[in-house]
Amino acid sequence: MEKFSRKDFLRISSSALALSQLWSLSGCTRQAAIGNHLKNFDSQDTALLENIWRAYVGGEAAVARYGEKGLKKIFQECTSSLDGMLESFKMDAPYLTDDFLLALKLIDYGPIILGWYGKTFGSLSLSQQQQVLQDWLDSSLKPLRDVSYGLKGLFTLLYYEHPQVRQLIGFDKPWVLRDRVQGARQGI
Amino acid sequence: MNPIDFNLSQVAAMDYSKHVVQFKDVNGPIEDEADVVVIGTGAGGAACADALVASGLKVIAVEAGGYYPLKYLNQNLLDMMSLLSWQMGNAGSKDGSLRMVHGKCVGGSTLLHMLTMTAIPDDVLGRWQKKYGLTKLNRQRLTPIESQLRKKMNIKEIPAERINDNAKRWIAGCEKLGVYWKANERNAGNCIEAGKCHTGCPFGGKLSMDTAIIPNALNHGLKLYTDCKVDRIITSDGKATGVAGTFRNRTDGKVVGTLTLKAKKIVVAAGTIQTPALLLRSDLQNKFGTIGASLHAQPAINILGEFNDEIHGWRGITNPLHIDEWAPLEKGGFFCEPGLLEPSIYGESIPFMGAEHESIMSRYKYMAGGQVLLNDDGTGGTIGIDGDGNPEVQYELSENDKQRMRVALKKMGEILFAAGAKAVYLSHRIPLHLNSVKDLAKLDDIPLGPNDAHLETVHAQGSCKMSLNPKDGVVDEKGELHNVKDLYLADCSIFPDGVGTNTTIPGATMGIYVAEEVISSFPESH
């Protein structure tokens, strides 16, 4: 049986309340294009996504490997893949797209709502961001653990799927034919 | 002509428009009829439809996904998961603790398998006969079916010279400890060792159902509707009489038409996850509530061993062997499939954060990897449906499963250390540093609750068990539902318990077994 203290209860109920407000007010109900090539993210979201990626996959270490510009470009391309993924979810399981956008808000405002820091995720230092994500992975609250575990998987999967990251790791399987898939959606 | 060239040339030369009705051919309602309708074209469905057509019956197959000949496949994980699987490979238990990758395309999950072809083991068949009284599932009946599949799918053992360096590390550890291993048999075509078996091989390296079986069935008269999800089975007076489905556009998911089929017999082979969901949304749950009441997920955990020298473990044939020492239930009921997939697969599952994560992944070429698979006891999972009729899976390892999984991880860790590994990493939430055999004691009480370990499966089974008594299962020994006449199941969902090995051949075997039962049920002998 997991420990579930009164403090936990207060935290989760206040976060649920705050999230329901955020849900109705902001991006979670948004499905239309937002002025750039991305369908699900605006510039604020993309900055948040970049922060999360930095926290998961290395921050300074990754900068040293790819350069600040190079790393930024990798994150932008990962964001674009993520956007495509959310679009794809909409066909099979639209709730997954909504869940993801909601989880993103939880990460952004979580440090305030859950009472750990008085700032949003993006305003924390890299080590604080990593601490927040690790704390959630180890949380005694199952929903928080479920969300953070799923997000970590998704973010790291997209990052290591990037051709440049693979190349630097030394992964040298053949990598061709990306364009082939275009016709598949039209039918044989 | 050798079977590979025959299959591939047949696929290339096929005029699909003659045999296949896709979303783009549909604009409104379609009605059709046949002797038998088969729902699903994966291992079980394709093999079943092929056998039915060969007997002279008029057969229609319906597939929720599209038909993607080789020329449309590429090597990008995200592209392929989006094209070939349900929920882009992210289907799974409701709390996200078990990922259940399963195919949504012609050929089903056989496009996503690693070419490991193993028949139903003798000890499992013996248990099914003894424990459940399923005496028709015997060697005399199943061996000819397996031989037929071996021929059609070009199944052969991997020669010793093609065993890759990743597997060689595992072999070295096994030899030191006296652990039994076996080279795999596989259904390879023109394999160029591209390492993309798990996302549909774009080079014809794999003779999956879409390549090895379906073209032959189409040439013999099978009619195939693709991009059509069956919404419900139509029944009348306790008998199945037809199916109703909806066609959707592949690009935007919009409805383009409906399908209503009438048939004398219906075979559902939509896979362990989708089959019970279809029965449940057709309101066919029996009075004992056995549809979806259990699930043998055969969950797997990734394991990596780091060595001092470069291995480039991804090179060569990805999954060339099995470590089967503990596969029988009485020995533990777990096994290992050595194989180092692309870095994203391990990158997403190993613990650690930030610089430490990045540092471990940067040493990927020094790693040997594999998956530890558990023949779970089936008490921890159920499949129901949500408000839209889609599968809703609940899953948690039972206490017995957790204990056996801990033993399994320790055994595989010992093999890696015996082979010379200097560190072992697991796909677990807790960032464990295992630097020696002694450290493996940390696994004795490692938590294995939901979302503790990164569990995934491509071998789900046993959600609609075969049983002699209706209160113990869903279908009888012929594969026909206990509570609905003329409705059969023909996939891995009907296994009475965990088969304890890879599921393509066992699933296809059940497909042909049930097809034989369906054929013999027609008054005029086909």
Side-chain angles (χ1 to χ4, degrees):
Chain A
M1 193 69 184
E2 289 170 351
K3 281 186 287 176
F4 194 79
S5 65
R6 190 168 161 270
K7 203 169 158 193
D8 285 335
F9 175 74
L10 286 171
R11 277 181 179 170
I12 204 77
S13 43
S14 58
S15 64
L17 190 69
L19 280 169
S20 66
Q21 292 300 310
L22 285 167
W23 175 264
S24 58
L25 290 174
S26 69
C28 300
T29 49
R30 171 190 60 213
Q31 299 293 333
I34 326 170
N36 58 19
H37 70 289
L38 300 172
K39 295 206 167 84
N40 297 283
F41 307 122
D42 59 20
S43 57
Q44 236 182 326
D45 295 330
T46 51
L48 174 64
L49 289 169
E50 187 180 317
N51 276 314
I52 299 171
W53 254 300
R54 274 177 201 275
Y56 279 136
V57 299
E60 287 91 349
V63 173
R65 208 172 283 275
Y66 305 101
E68 182 56 46
K69 247 187 174 173
L71 192 61
K72 217 173 172 60
K73 190 165 173 282
I74 289 172
F75 291 146
Q76 277 167 359
E77 284 164 11
C78 288
T79 300
S80 184
S81 292
L82 181 57
D83 189 55
M85 202 167 183
L86 297 190
E87 282 303 290
S88 183
F89 283 159
K90 284 177 190 169
M91 274 192 270
D92 249 9
Y95 63 88
L96 280 177
T97 304
D98 290 343
D99 285 357
F100 178 83
L101 293 169
L102 180 64
L104 212 57
K105 292 295 163 195
L106 177 66
I107 288 197
D108 200 9
Y109 292 96
I112 301 174
I113 297 165
L114 296 173
W116 292 334
Y117 299 95
K119 299 175 184 172
T120 57
F121 185 86
S123 315
L124 302 176
S125 69
L126 181 66
S127 62
Q128 285 172 327
Q129 288 172 343
Q130 286 172 340
Q131 193 57 52
V132 166
L133 294 173
Q134 188 63 53
D135 285 349
W136 290 7
L137 279 170
D138 297 335
S139 171
S140 61
L141 297 174
K142 188 171 174 292
L144 207 52
R145 216 166 57 227
D146 293 347
V147 167
S148 53
Y149 203 72
L151 283 176
K152 184 182 175 216
L154 189 58
F155 276 83
T156 45
L157 183 136
L158 288 165
Y159 178 73
Y160 290 108
E161 192 61 19
H162 193 283
Q164 208 184 329
V165 176
R166 288 169 171 238
Q167 201 181 10
L168 229 91
I169 284 176
F171 187 77
D172 55 2
K173 281 283 189 186
W175 184 257
V176 289
L177 314 170
R178 182 82 211 262
D179 59 330
R180 270 186 171 198
V181 77
Q182 302 307 328
R185 294 263 181 222
Q186 309 310 316
I188 47 178
Chain B
M1 190 185 281
N2 78 46
I4 303 167
D5 291 338
F6 174 71
N7 275 308
L8 295 178
S9 62
Q10 204 181 18
V11 171
M14 176 76 69
D15 178 1
Y16 292 95
S17 61
K18 274 189 183 167
H19 312 274
V20 184
V21 178
Q22 307 169 77
F23 75 93
K24 67 173 188 176
D25 309 317
V26 179
N27 183 17
I30 292 181
E31 290 181 10
D32 206 342
E33 57 185 294
D35 293 321
V36 187
V37 167
V38 179
I39 301 161
T41 57
C48 182
D50 187 40
L52 290 168
V53 159
S55 77
L57 288 165
K58 187 182 176 195
V59 183
I60 291 174
V62 188
E63 169 57 49
Y67 200 164
Y68 304 111
L70 300 179
K71 64 178 181 177
Y72 293 118
L73 305 180
N74 72 21
Q75 290 175 282
N76 183 280
L77 178 72
L78 302 175
D79 285 348
M80 289 300 95
M81 280 293 143
S82 149
L83 205 63
L84 305 177
S85 67
W86 288 91
Q87 293 175 23
M88 213 173 169
N90 284 281
S93 62
K94 200 180 172 194
D95 62 6
S97 63
L98 173 70
R99 181 183 294 170
M100 307 177 84
V101 181
H102 59 300
K104 183 189 176 188
C105 54
V106 172
S109 299
T110 65
L111 270 84
L112 309 172
H113 73 41
M114 298 300 298
L115 290 86
T116 304
M117 298 285 111
T118 42
I120 302 172
D122 286 345
D123 66 301
V124 173
L125 217 46
R127 185 172 70 240
W128 290 357
Q129 290 167 18
K130 234 179 176 175
K131 189 172 173 185
Y132 307 106
L134 301 169
T135 50
K136 281 178 98 171
L137 295 177
N138 57 52
R139 272 276 143 249
Q140 202 183 349
R141 176 82 186 268
L142 301 189
T143 301
I145 296 177
E146 289 160 0
S147 304
Q148 204 185 116
L149 288 165
R150 292 174 67 82
K151 201 172 163 194
K152 285 187 175 173
M153 299 175 79
N154 192 41
I155 297 171
K156 288 180 181 148
E157 188 173 306
I158 295 173
E161 66 271 16
R162 291 193 74 184
I163 287 180
N164 72 352
D165 287 344
N166 178 66
K168 281 178 184 163
R169 298 295 161 127
W170 285 92
I171 292 173
C174 287
E175 301 284 322
K176 264 195 180 168
L177 300 174
V179 171
Y180 174 74
W181 63 273
K182 188 181 178 302
N184 282 338
E185 292 189 317
R186 62 183 203 142
N187 54 330
N190 295 324
C191 175
I192 62 159
E193 302 179 356
K196 297 296 291 186
C197 323
H198 57 300
T199 52
C201 179
F203 302 104
K206 185 202 289 191
L207 294 182
S208 43
M209 291 297 173
D210 57 314
T211 307
I213 304 288
I214 294 285
N216 182 58
L218 291 173
N219 276 337
H220 285 89
L222 175 70
K223 188 168 185 183
L224 174 59
Y225 288 97
T226 67
D227 311 291
C228 180
K229 184 179 169 189
V230 174
D231 299 316
R232 58 186 293 117
I233 310 283
I234 302 164
T235 56
S236 172
D237 297 329
K239 281 184 178 183
T241 56
V243 305
T246 308
F247 289 95
R248 286 179 189 276
N249 188 315
R250 274 180 217 167
T251 48
D252 57 15
K254 285 190 179 142
V255 173
V256 293
T258 57
L259 179 68
T260 309
L261 299 175
K262 279 186 193 164
K264 293 170 187 152
K265 312 271 178 188
I266 313 285
V267 179
V268 182
T272 298
I273 302 156
Q274 302 292 335
T275 288
L278 171 57
L279 298 179
L280 291 172
R281 67 176 176 261
S282 305
D283 297 321
L284 296 178
Q285 180 62 286
N286 56 51
K287 63 181 175 182
F288 303 105
T290 52
I291 294 175
S294 67
L295 169 67
H296 295 265
Q298 203 180 92
I301 293 182
N302 294 332
I303 184 166
L304 283 172
E306 184 180 346
F307 290 76
N308 284 318
D309 54 329
E310 292 184 8
I311 302 173
H312 298 276
W314 55 79
R315 292 179 183 165
I317 292 172
T318 309
N319 261 26
L321 59 99
H322 248 73
I323 299 171
D324 272 351
E325 173 82 24
W326 303 278
L329 271 181
E330 63 276 12
K331 285 187 159 185
F334 54 83
F335 60 104
C336 179
E337 290 189 338
L340 193 77
L341 296 170
E342 51 209 319
S344 49
I345 302 285
Y346 284 89
E348 69 155 340
S349 64
I350 63 162
F352 308 103
M353 187 74 74
E356 198 170 11
H357 191 279
E358 206 269 351
S359 162
I360 289 170
M361 287 306 294
S362 71
R363 303 196 295 277
Y364 201 61
K365 58 185 160 199
Y366 297 89
M367 307 281 183
Q371 283 203 313
V372 184
L373 298 96
L374 181 76
N375 189 359
D376 54 342
D377 62 23
T379 60
T382 58
I383 300 181
I385 47 172
D386 63 16
D388 298 323
N390 295 314
E392 190 170 279
V393 180
Q394 307 283 350
Y395 188 81
E396 189 172 349
L397 289 173
S398 69
E399 285 310 313
N400 169 41
D401 289 340
K402 285 178 190 169
Q403 198 44 42
R404 289 188 298 127
M405 183 59 104
R406 289 182 190 111
V407 174
L409 294 171
K410 281 180 76 173
K411 292 286 184 199
M412 301 313 161
E414 283 169 15
I415 293 172
L416 285 168
F417 282 123
K422 62 176 187 177
V424 166
Y425 307 105
L426 298 175
S427 55
H428 194 280
R429 173 177 62 81
I430 299 172
L432 283 177
H433 290 271
L434 304 170
N435 299 318
S436 66
V437 175
K438 212 174 148 195
D439 282 349
L440 293 173
K442 293 177 186 172
L443 302 179
D444 284 339
D445 52 3
I446 192 168
L448 288 171
N451 280 323
D452 282 329
H454 180 93
L455 295 180
E456 58 184 34
T457 178
V458 286
H459 297 162
Q461 51 201 283
S463 57
C464 297
K465 293 179 193 299
M466 181 180 279
S467 69
L468 294 182
N469 192 323
K471 74 176 169 51
D472 299 325
V474 176
V475 297
D476 63 16
E477 223 177 348
K478 294 180 294 184
E480 190 175 20
L481 259 74
H482 286 297
N483 61 327
V484 186
K485 288 281 159 221
D486 299 332
L487 179 57
Y488 294 77
L489 308 187
D491 54 32
C492 300
S493 70
I494 63 175
F495 295 166
D497 64 23
V499 75
T501 187
N502 302 65
T503 47
T504 299
I505 290 299
T509 301
M510 294 313 260
I512 296 176
Y513 169 91
V514 172
E516 290 174 351
E517 295 293 335
V518 172
I519 292 163
S520 67
S521 74
F522 276 87
E524 62 280 24
S525 176
H526 282 272

